[in-house]
Every structure is written in C-alpha cells, then in structure tokens.
Amino acid sequence: MRRALLAMAVAASPIVAEADPLRLRGDALATTASPAGLLTLEASGQQTSNLSAEAVVWVAGQPTPGQDTRGDVLVIALKAKDKKGRASGTLGRFVASIGALRPVHVDGAGGRVHLPQRFDVEAYGGVPVVPGLATSRSWDWMFGSRLSRKLGDWGSAGVAYLQQRDDAQIATEEVGFDAGAAFGKADNAAAKLAYDLAGEGVAEVSFMATHKEGSLRTDVFAVHRSPSHILPATSLFSVLGDYASERAGGTLTWKAAPRLDLGADLGARRSGTEMGPLLVGRAKLKLDDRGRSALTGEVRRDGVGADEWTGLRGAARYALTNEFGVATELELVIPDEDRGLGRVWPWALAAVSWDRGDWHAAVAAEASASPTDVRRFDVLGTLGRSWGLK
Amino acid sequence: MTKRIVILAFLLVGACAGVLGLSKSQPQPFPHRAHVTKGVPCTRCHVGISEDDGSKLHIPDDTTCVECHQKPHDSRPCLGCHTTEGKLAELMEAREHLVFQHKAHFKEVKGNCARCHVGVAEGDTRMRPPMAACFKCHDQQAASNASRCDACHKDLEDSGTLPATHLAHDADWLSEHGLRAASSGELCQSCHKEAFCASCHGQTVAALPATMKFGNPFSPSVHRAGFASRHSLEAHSEPGTCTTCHQPERCATCHIAKGVAGDGRRSPHPPGWVGLTASENLHGREARRDPASCAACHDGGGQSLCIGCHKVGGVGGNPHPPGWSSRISLSSAPCRFCHPIGSRP
C-alpha cells in the first residue's frame, strides 16, 4: 500500500510542476440599449499538459432580445488527451464542428482518436443546447462523426455523418465530405460538400483556392447553398423546395507597402433567377509598425435584385499613450430601394479605451439611423479584469 | 496626361514614404548582418546567452556598444534608433510564449547561431528563426500528429501567434474560416479554446465579440458596425446563411422584442402576397427563395396557416417542387400535417 502511494506521489509530482495557474477574466458591459447590463465570467485552467478545463458564463440585467433568459452558460468543458496526443476527449457544453457538418452547440461528449495508417476518427454526441439553463424538451439528441485520412504532408480528406432528432423526429440527417490540400508553399485549396439525407438534396457546396506570390495573395471561391436543406427537416418549409443561392468570385490581397494593405473582392451572387454584384475595395494603413494605430476604408457593392446596396465604411484607431487609445468607426449603407425606410442608413461610433496591466476599460458613443429607428443614440461602457494571465 | 499621373503618383508615394513604412529616416533594424560579416561573435554583445535558461532577454546595453564604438555619434541610447519600434515587445512576447532555452541549443549548434538564425544571411529584418529551422532537428511530424503545439508554444491564443506555416488568417478570414476548418479542425483547436468558436456559433451567446470589444474596429466580425440596419438586405441576398448559426425562430423573437413585428402589428407582407390566382400570389415564389425567412415567423402557426390551402385536394395545390422525394415517413412531422394516416401521398 505504502509502495503504491509512493508510486502515485512520484507520478503526480511532474503534474504539479507542469500545471498552469487558473486564469480568470471578468467583463462587465453596460449600455443604454438592451441588454442594459451584462457580466461575462471566463475561467480556464490546465491541471497538466493533458487535462484542462474552461467555462464561460454570463448574467444580464434584463433578458436578451430573442432569448427569455437573464443568464446562461456559453461553455463549460473538461478536455483530456493522452500523453502522446493519440486520443483526446471533451465533456460538457461546447461547439462541435467537424468536417463539412454544420457547427452545433451541444451538451455532451466528444472525442478524437488517431488510428494507424494516418486515419483519424472523431465523434460527438449529446443534447442540442437551447437558451436557458433548463429545457423541458425530451427525446432531443444529436450524434456526429467523421472519418478522415491525412494525405502525406500536403492534405487530408474526410467523410462525416450527422443525425439530430427533436422530439424523437429526425430534424437533421446529413453526410459531409471535405478535403484540403497545400501544393507547395504558394498554393492551397479546400472544398466541402454537405448533403441532406432527410430531404435528399445538396445543402451546401463550397470551394476555395489560394495562390501566394510575394506580397500578392489571390483567392478564388464558389459557394452553393440550399436554404430549405439547412432548415430542420421537421419544418413545414423544408418541403417547398427552394431556389439555391450562389456566390462566386475572387479576392486579391496586396501588401503594397510595409504598412499598407490593399484588397479587392470581385464576384457575383445569384439567388433564384436574380443576379447581383459582389464588389469590395478595402485599404488598411498602419500608423506604426505594430499596428496599434491604424486607418481603414472600405467600399462595397452587394446584394441581389431589389436588395442591392452600396456601403462605405471607415475606421481609425490611434494609440495616444501606451495605456490610452481612441477609435472611431463610420458606416453608410445606401439601399437601391429604400421602401420608405430612409435613403441612407448611417452608423457611427467613437470610443476611448484604457489598458493597464490586467485591467481594461472603454467607453463609447454610438449613433445611427436605420429602417427601425429614425435616429438612435446609445452609450456603451465596459470594464474588464484578468487574473492569472502572464 | 499619363506622364503627369505617374509623376503625381511618385510625388505622393515620396511624400507618404514615412507613413507607409518606406522611409529610411525612421528607426531601422539593428545591423546584425554587418556585425556578423565583420566577424564579431554574437556572444560578444549578447553576453551570457550560451548559459541562457529562458529567463532573460540578453539585450546589450550602451556600455557593450561603446566597447567598440568608442565615439558614439549621438548621446541618446543606441537602441533608441538602432532597432525598430516594438522589437523589444516582440522579444518579450517570444520569451513568454515559447518553451525555449538558448543554453540547450548552444552546444548542439557548436556556437554557430546562424544555423538557427538563418535570416541573418539575407538582412536584418527577420532575426527570429522560422519554424522550419526548428524542424531541421526536432520531429515536426510527431508533434503535428500528436497535436502537441504546446510542446514549444505556450498560450498560443493569448499571444496571437500565427506561424507562417498555418493557413487562412490573412485575407478574408471571416468568409473562409468555415471551409478551412472543415479539413483542419484539429489545427484550429491547437490554439483556440472552446469559447472562441462558441462566442459566435453558440446558441447561448449574450453579446458577440464585436459588441464586447467595441473599442477595436479592426476585429473581424459578421455583425459589425451597422449590421442591424443592413441585416435584412444581407439575409435576402444569401438565404440560409443566418440559419447556419441561428435557429429560424430567432428572427421572430428578436423582432417582437424590438417591437418591429408580431404581437398583432400589421402584416409585413406587400399587397398581392396571397390571392386567388397564381399572378396574385407572391408568397409561393418568395417562400421558395428564402424558406428560412418564412419559418422565422410561421413555423409554429404556419402549419395551420399553410395547410388550410396546401393540403391534399386543397385550393392551394401541391406545394412540392417537381421530382420531390423524401425519406421521412408520412407519419412523421411535417408530412403528417397534410398527409393524415391513410391518405395517399
């Protein structure tokens, strides 16, 4: 017995040596808009290099819009992995995002195992998260899994399956395929496809390829999405069929000077029979090498059919001292058809922030005119403190 | 005309050279390469680095410089000008977030610092060894297969470290991260905690990062700035996008809470939404275009609302598109709303 205790003590000693301190962070947000007050508490700790935990909870002064709750848990998860990293697991509330399957917020467990021949298996299962600390729903559960294989040092491919049931009825049944590859240092590509098995149709296909040449990066992308196949299969609207929405184009990013980044998106959207442009021009100028002070500007032409719009956005941040900074942001949205809701929808914010060691504070004034408010003025304030961060 | 534009562009770039980071009048990187090529050993300035245990930075002070530069051209501290702004903070960040001791490596490379600090061969701007230099000796594949980034990196998310070998943090990360993460999810998790994904994709999000960090206009966010104004335009332009994170009923509950719909307020639908003839019925086409938008308000009461007309033998006719098929049993929702047990499909 004594020998066993001694062995346990010896085994535990490096654990203590490797342990990271408990980290805590608290942020309070007060606004004149709802929710008027919000307190977020975040904690994380690593007992050993193989065992860690984190939690994020919040309480609000009044129920958040769209949610009849004054407090909730965003994440509470315990994570463990074996010493060689061949297997890992998560228990608690977390967002499960695997392969081409849609990300889901789940109360349950998940894990991954590296198998021989460079195969990986990952899976999760549990109850879908709904706002509120308690749920009266029954027979709601979900399960997702993915089998993937690494392809040399240059890529991987995987196939995944998801089933979700609400009140024991199939709400989502989906199979996904994903692949990613890097061709040398300059080129890479990724693609994924999600197929709705419950409604039998493609839910989403997307593709992206990137080429880097010196300070110039070029991306091409294409996305096809079918809204009715993204809805829960228990929805009456999933039986109507739909017009797919599509987006395709390219993005250019150019580091024109050490402190100047320029970018442009050139593309098009299609929704049903309607086409629309997707044109963006953007520039960002850092005013110091670390980018603590910077300016940015963006022009956008977007939307489809009667919902086309033009947008202008400018933002600036200036570090007055090591501790104090000011920031401002302005956005103008000009819809092609105002429908009596205003020809220009401006939005502006001016903020002062303060950072000193573990403390952070900021206060801002926000003003806007939107389809719902002829004019609106809000004041925001935040105060945060960290403990245990190095 | 073209000539004038070219001249004007040159003048403009010249005038803005300092702002763009092109000017030589600003503090420059320390001339490491010049010292190395003149045969000055690294340890002559970086005193004690061969015994470094990871606790100090070993930055030389002015007394070290004046051992050779006996007549300084300026009375100010040498590193005030002979190093770029933020370099010291970068070194401190590396010291805090890397598991590294020079002492252990010094013997292995037999005092040849350039074996890791390969950037000195090209100039003075990239003195920190690239990760590729580590993998000359250390087994990258083993670390990668085991997802053990923390074998060398500490607190990756806090440090904001983005190794050059990693994908997709430049350009439009917001648009492409979902696609990249599909095949590289484990790579994302090696730096990001659970809360990172949940802060946007969670069903219990109280306030998005853009709201909590309103003082930083450069943080990427889907819902940034005047999103509340333009969200209906964006939702209509790419139907289904909102549903990838939000439950469909989110729209209705929020609109009711904000007082812009529901609760007996007038119908948001235009004239001609529902009529007796096909030309008077806009709702069918719009429902096919964006079914999630309809489901946002009607998925509860919609069952009685729609199937009053769209039932087997009803005046609304068959709502299914040509070639419709489904694996769902007729006795399950939503089929059973229109197809009672015993009715023909």
Side-chain angles (χ1 to χ4, degrees), chain B residues 150-330:
Chain B
D150 58 358
C152 301
H153 295 278
K154 288 191 284 186
D155 311 323
L156 275 169
E157 191 166 26
D158 297 327
S159 68
T161 308
L162 301 175
T165 50
H166 288 201
L167 300 170
H169 284 84
D170 47 2
D172 193 359
W173 174 87
L174 203 61
S175 299
E176 68 182 45
H177 75 280
L179 181 53
R180 302 288 188 190
S183 53
S184 317
E186 195 179 18
L187 191 64
C188 307
Q189 287 175 359
S190 61
C191 300
H192 296 293
K193 295 174 186 163
E194 291 293 339
F196 182 79
C197 301
S199 61
C200 292
H201 290 284
Q203 294 296 322
T204 51
V205 173
L208 288 164
T211 307
M212 294 299 289
K213 296 174 183 172
F214 57 80
N216 180 10
F218 295 97
S219 62
S221 172
V222 175
H223 292 186
R224 76 159 317 101
F227 175 78
S229 300
R230 59 185 146 79
H231 76 282
S232 66
L233 301 177
E234 295 204 15
H236 287 150
S237 299
E238 198 161 347
T241 308
C242 309
T243 330
T244 55
C245 285
H246 299 293
Q247 297 294 323
E249 56 266 26
R250 165 81 174 172
C251 308
T253 47
C254 196
H255 286 169
I256 291 168
K258 300 265 184 190
V260 294
D263 278 351
R265 288 176 174 81
R266 70 182 177 85
S267 166
H269 303 307
W273 190 249
V274 180
L276 292 174
T277 63
S279 61
E280 290 175 325
N281 274 294
L282 293 173
H283 75 279
R285 185 183 168 284
E286 287 302 310
R288 282 212 164 87
R289 185 169 180 255
D290 190 3
S293 168
C294 303
C297 293
H298 295 302
D299 226 18
Q303 288 154 6
S304 56
L305 189 72
C306 304
I307 64 175
C309 299
H310 293 284
K311 61 185 175 186
V312 177
V315 294
N318 179 5
H320 300 308
W324 165 257
S325 70
S326 173
R327 290 177 62 239
I328 293 177
S329 155
L330 282 180

Side-chain angles (χ1 to χ4, degrees), chain A residues 20 23 27 29 38 40 44 49 54 56 58 65-67 72-75 79 81 83-85 93-95 99 103 105 112 114 129 131 146 153 156 169 173 178-180 188 190-192 197-200 206-208 210 212 217 219 225 227-228 230-231 233-243 245 247 253 257-260 269 271 274 284-286 288-290 294 296 303-304 307 309 313 315-317 327 329 331 333 345 347 349 362-364 369-372 380-382 389, chain B residues 18-22 26 84-86 89-90 96 141 145-148 150 154-155 158 166-168 170-172 175-176 178-183 185-186 189 192-195 197-199 201-207 211-212 214-218 224-230 232-234 236-241 243-244 247-248 250 253-254 257-258 260 285 287-292 294-295 298-299 302-303 306-307 319-321 324-328 331-334 336-338:
Chain A
D20 267 4
R23 291 147 187 251
D27 288 284
L29 173 73
L38 179 68
T40 304
S44 64
S49 61
E54 66 172 294
V56 180
W58 57 265
Q67 296 179 2
D72 218 324
V73 176
L74 183 65
V75 167
K79 303 182 89 169
K81 59 183 174 185
K83 264 190 173 177
K84 292 190 174 177
R93 174 173 288 190
F94 57 95
V95 167
H105 204 186
R112 169 193 283 267
H114 294 289
V129 172
R146 175 175 178 254
D153 283 340
S156 71
Q169 306 277 339
E173 190 176 19
D178 63 84
N188 61 69
K192 67 174 182 177
L197 292 171
E200 293 191 338
S206 49
F207 167 80
M208 167 164 273
T210 300
K212 291 178 186 172
R217 172 180 158 147
D219 298 273
R225 193 174 276 140
S228 71
I230 295 170
L231 281 172
T234 48
S235 167
L236 191 65
F237 296 92
S238 65
V239 305
L240 299 178
D242 59 21
Y243 304 123
S245 71
R247 176 164 52 93
T253 312
R259 292 181 183 174
L260 179 65
R269 292 182 184 278
S271 179
E274 293 176 324
K284 181 178 178 183
L285 176 65
K286 293 182 207 165
D288 57 60
D289 287 339
R290 298 190 72 195
T296 188
V304 168
D307 295 310
W309 57 282
R313 179 175 168 262
R317 184 178 60 197
E329 196 172 355
E331 183 180 277
V333 173
W345 303 334
W347 180 94
L349 181 138
V363 62
S370 69
T372 53
L380 304 89
T382 184
L389 284 173
Chain B
V19 176
L20 297 172
L22 300 168
Q26 296 176 346
T84 46
E85 191 184 347
E90 193 182 302
E96 286 175 12
Q141 203 57 56
N145 288 344
S147 305
R148 292 298 303 267
D150 58 358
K154 288 191 284 186
D155 311 323
D158 297 327
H166 288 201
L167 300 170
D170 47 2
D172 193 359
S175 299
E176 68 182 45
L179 181 53
R180 302 288 188 190
S183 53
E186 195 179 18
Q189 287 175 359
H192 296 293
K193 295 174 186 163
E194 291 293 339
C197 301
S199 61
H201 290 284
Q203 294 296 322
T204 51
V205 173
T211 307
M212 294 299 289
F214 57 80
N216 180 10
F218 295 97
R224 76 159 317 101
F227 175 78
S229 300
R230 59 185 146 79
S232 66
L233 301 177
E234 295 204 15
H236 287 150
S237 299
E238 198 161 347
T241 308
T243 330
T244 55
Q247 297 294 323
R250 165 81 174 172
T253 47
C254 196
K258 300 265 184 190
V260 294
R285 185 183 168 284
R288 282 212 164 87
R289 185 169 180 255
D290 190 3
C294 303
H298 295 302
D299 226 18
Q303 288 154 6
C306 304
I307 64 175
H320 300 308
W324 165 257
S325 70
S326 173
R327 290 177 62 239
I328 293 177
S331 60
S332 302
R336 66 165 184 254
F337 301 138
C338 294

